[in-house]
């Protein structure tokens, strides 16, 4: 099992890569797809850091 910090770093790097690919893409659909994928990776990064707050609020 991986630690949350490693997962966060991985997802952040993947988002950066997708943003770079979006900037290099020439077809509008490809640009959109890369931005959507980057957004999903960033959601994973920031949702992991918020999970402890949600658990505490539920208790």
């Amino acid at each position: 099992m991986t630690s949350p910090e490693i997962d966060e770093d991985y997802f952040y790097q993947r988002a950066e890569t997708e943003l770079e690919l979006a900037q290099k893409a020439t077809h509008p659909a490809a640009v959109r797809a890369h931005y959507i994928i980057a957004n999903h990776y960033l959601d994973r990064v920031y949702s992991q850091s918020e999970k402890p707050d949600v658990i505490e609020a539920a208790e």
Side-chain angles (χ1 to χ4, degrees):
M1 190 164 187
T2 60
S3 73
E5 294 83 21
I6 293 172
D7 289 344
E8 187 175 298
D9 291 341
Y10 170 78
F11 292 133
Y12 189 82
Q13 183 57 46
R14 291 297 305 146
E16 287 287 328
T17 300
E18 290 298 330
L19 292 173
E20 290 172 11
L21 291 171
Q23 292 174 347
K24 293 177 184 177
T26 57
H27 194 281
V31 172
R32 183 175 186 274
H34 287 299
Y35 278 124
I36 289 170
I37 295 168
N39 187 48
H40 286 293
Y41 281 124
L42 290 173
D43 283 345
R44 296 287 300 265
V45 169
Y46 292 108
S47 69
Q48 287 181 2
S49 63
E50 294 174 8
K51 282 185 180 179
D53 294 337
V54 172
I55 293 170
E56 290 175 15
E59 292 178 350

